[in-house]
């Protein structure tokens, strides 16, 4: 992603580099970090007229679903928007990245929510990262839920019922991101029934579009039978490596396929992004001045503005 860094270095060389410390890459990163963490100077992001519920789906594993869900959520939360992440993957990676200890035996999780044994109030936990960022964690119990759900009444509507408008309004959530497991089973169907929008992260790698056709067919099926409002609203290109021709070819192909739905911001491949969850953090908190953090902040801004343009929301 272009940043203002090249300008800084050009000025430095033009005046012989006498500006000293203020123009160093570290100082520039620190300045960007403080701008990102206290976005007072930037224009506020639009607050949606009603809660936007977004399913982050792609049945391929490792394409950046979880990373995208938690980092977009964190980027919106630092702008003061109230955001909930529903962790629908038994691995619980989204819960971990949001600093929630999902291995504690006494917590209510998305499993209890789906089975009707807990309400949103009981299962949602505030992330230590930010006061307006919340998470319904996943525990390993969820691995069995796919089978347990089969025999339940309204098995495809369990999550939708738990995330009812009244419960969401009580918390004042502006955004709900549902982080899906890498499959198209009953958990993902629950997510697609509960949401209006699907966000598809696509990795700029070989076989990027593999399986996307099947995902789109499933979305059409859910739309036809269970949730007429469901649509793909956003595609985000992730793990872009500018050194490879392949990444550009993939990006071009995805743009040909999805057109305007593809965010202009592309998330670069960056070691920092992959390190952050190991510290129970999003990249926004782990290294706010990094390219990875900036790309998610930019993507969140584009995503919020594009959504406001389509639902007429205003702040
Ligand atoms: P998914 O949820 O689709 O399985 P993840 O978000 O867990 O994918 O990402 C898969 C792996 O790639 C994780 O280890 C994650 O930390 C790493 N990763 C995600 N995005 C990036 C990125 N932009 N740069 C480097 N590593 C990334
Ligand atoms: Mg994941």
């Amino acid at each position: 992603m272009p940043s203002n860094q090249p300008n800084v270095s050009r000025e430095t060389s033009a005046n012989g580099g006498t500006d000293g410390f203020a123009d160093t890459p570290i100082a520039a990163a620190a300045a960007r970090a403080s701008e990102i963490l206290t976005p007072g100077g930037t224009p506020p992001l639009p607050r949606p007229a009603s809660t936007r519920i977004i399913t982050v789906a792609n049945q391929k594993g490792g394409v950046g679903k979880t990373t995208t869900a938690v980092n977009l959520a964190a980027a919106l939360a630092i702008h003061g928007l109230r955001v909930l992440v529903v962790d629908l993957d038994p691995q619980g990676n989204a819960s971990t990245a949001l600093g929630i200890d999902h291995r504690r035996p006494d917590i209510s999780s998305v499993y209890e929510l789906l089975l009707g044994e807990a309400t949103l109030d009981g299962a949602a936990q505030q992330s230590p990262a930010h006061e307006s960022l919340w998470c319904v964690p996943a525990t390993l119990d969820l691995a069995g839920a796919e089978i347990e759900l089969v025999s339940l009444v309204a098995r495809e509507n369990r999550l939708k019922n738990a995330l009812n408008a009244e419960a969401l309004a009580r918390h004042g959530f502006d955004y709900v991101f549902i982080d899906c497991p890498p499959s198209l089973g009953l958990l993902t169907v629950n997510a697609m029934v509960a949401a209006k929008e699907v966000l598809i992260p696509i990795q700029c790698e070989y076989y990027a579009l593999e399986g996307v056709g099947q995902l789109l067919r499933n979305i059409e099926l859910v739309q036809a039978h269970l949730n007429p409002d469901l649509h793909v609203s956003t595609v985000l290109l992730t793990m872009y490596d500018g050194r490879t021709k392949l990444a550009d070819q993939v990006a071009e192909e995805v743009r040909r396929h999805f057109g305007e739905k593809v965010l202009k911001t592309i998330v670069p491949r960056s070691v920092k992004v992959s390190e952050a969850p190991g510290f129970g953090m999003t990249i926004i908190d782990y290294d706010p001045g990094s390219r990875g953090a900036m790309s998610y902040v930019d993507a969140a801004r584009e995503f919020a503005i594009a959504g406001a343009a389509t639902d007429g929301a205003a702040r």
Side-chain angles (χ1 to χ4, degrees), residues 54-60 63-66 68-69 178-184 188-189 191-192 197-202 212 215 219 232 234:
I54 306 106
T55 282
V56 183
N58 187 332
Q59 77 273 32
K60 243 179 114 170
V63 299
K65 287 183 289 298
T66 301
T68 295
I178 308 172
D179 183 30
C180 288
S183 72
L184 293 172
T188 298
V189 170
M192 288 182 182
E197 301 179 43
V198 182
L199 186 161
I200 308 177
I202 295 183
V212 170
L215 172 64
I219 292 170
V232 176
T234 313

Side-chain angles (χ1 to χ4, degrees), residues 1-313:
M1 279 291 91
S3 72
N4 52 11
Q5 229 178 313
N7 289 338
V8 171
S9 50
R10 240 180 283 128
E11 279 165 22
T12 310
S13 55
N15 64 18
T18 49
D19 279 354
F21 181 73
D23 282 348
T24 64
I26 292 175
R32 287 197 304 270
S34 89
E35 202 178 296
I36 280 176
L37 290 176
T38 47
T42 53
L45 293 186
R47 193 178 290 281
S50 58
T51 313
R52 280 177 74 183
I53 308 182
I54 306 106
T55 282
V56 183
N58 187 332
Q59 77 273 32
K60 243 179 114 170
V63 299
K65 287 183 289 298
T66 301
T67 307
T68 295
V70 300
N71 288 302
L72 286 184
L76 292 165
I78 57 171
H79 280 89
L81 296 158
R82 285 181 73 79
V83 190
L84 172 69
V85 175
V86 177
D87 189 350
L88 209 53
D89 186 340
Q91 303 285 331
N93 294 341
S95 314
T96 303
L98 294 173
I100 310 260
D101 180 5
H102 57 107
R103 291 179 202 279
R104 267 179 37 204
D106 56 330
I107 59 166
S108 287
S109 69
V110 74
Y111 174 77
E112 283 80 18
L113 201 68
L114 288 167
L115 266 61
E117 293 168 7
T119 61
L120 181 61
D121 293 339
Q125 290 190 44
Q126 197 173 28
S127 165
H130 204 281
E131 61 176 357
S132 66
L133 182 55
W134 291 71
C135 174
V136 176
T139 56
L140 280 175
D141 294 334
L142 190 60
E146 199 107 39
I147 295 164
E148 285 172 65
L149 280 173
V150 171
S151 61
L152 296 184
V153 180
R155 60 190 178 186
E156 295 94 355
N157 293 306
R158 313 292 298 197
L159 188 61
K160 180 190 169 78
N161 294 341
L163 298 178
N164 60 70
E166 201 183 302
L168 294 175
R170 215 170 19 250
H171 281 268
F173 288 126
D174 297 304
Y175 291 90
V176 177
F177 290 93
I178 308 172
D179 183 30
C180 288
S183 72
L184 293 172
L186 208 37
L187 289 174
T188 298
V189 170
N190 260 271
M192 288 182 182
V193 172
K196 234 187 201 173
E197 301 179 43
V198 182
L199 186 161
I200 308 177
I202 295 183
Q203 193 184 0
C204 299
E205 282 291 345
Y206 278 116
Y207 310 123
L209 288 171
E210 188 188 57
V212 170
Q214 199 188 352
L215 172 64
L216 295 178
R217 278 191 296 282
N218 273 52
I219 292 170
E220 277 167 24
L221 280 173
V222 171
Q223 201 178 42
H225 300 286
L226 297 162
N227 179 9
D229 291 336
L230 188 70
H231 63 283
V232 176
S233 72
T234 313
V235 174
L236 178 64
L237 292 160
T238 65
M239 298 188 224
Y240 175 83
D241 184 344
R243 292 167 304 183
T244 68
K245 255 203 173 119
L246 174 74
D248 281 325
Q249 286 165 1
V250 170
E252 230 171 80
E253 194 181 342
V254 171
R255 288 195 194 283
R256 246 197 326 271
H257 201 279
F258 287 101
E260 292 286 286
K261 292 180 175 174
V262 187
L263 295 184
K264 291 189 179 64
T265 305
I266 300 183
V267 178
R269 181 175 281 286
S270 125
V271 175
K272 290 273 174 65
V273 171
S274 59
E275 284 171 358
F279 294 88
M281 290 165 107
T282 66
I283 184 66
I284 315 285
D285 288 302
Y286 179 63
D287 190 349
S290 65
R291 285 185 318 140
M294 284 194 300
S295 69
Y296 273 111
V297 168
D298 289 345
R301 169 169 294 279
E302 248 192 89
F303 173 75
I305 291 170
T310 51
D311 81 353

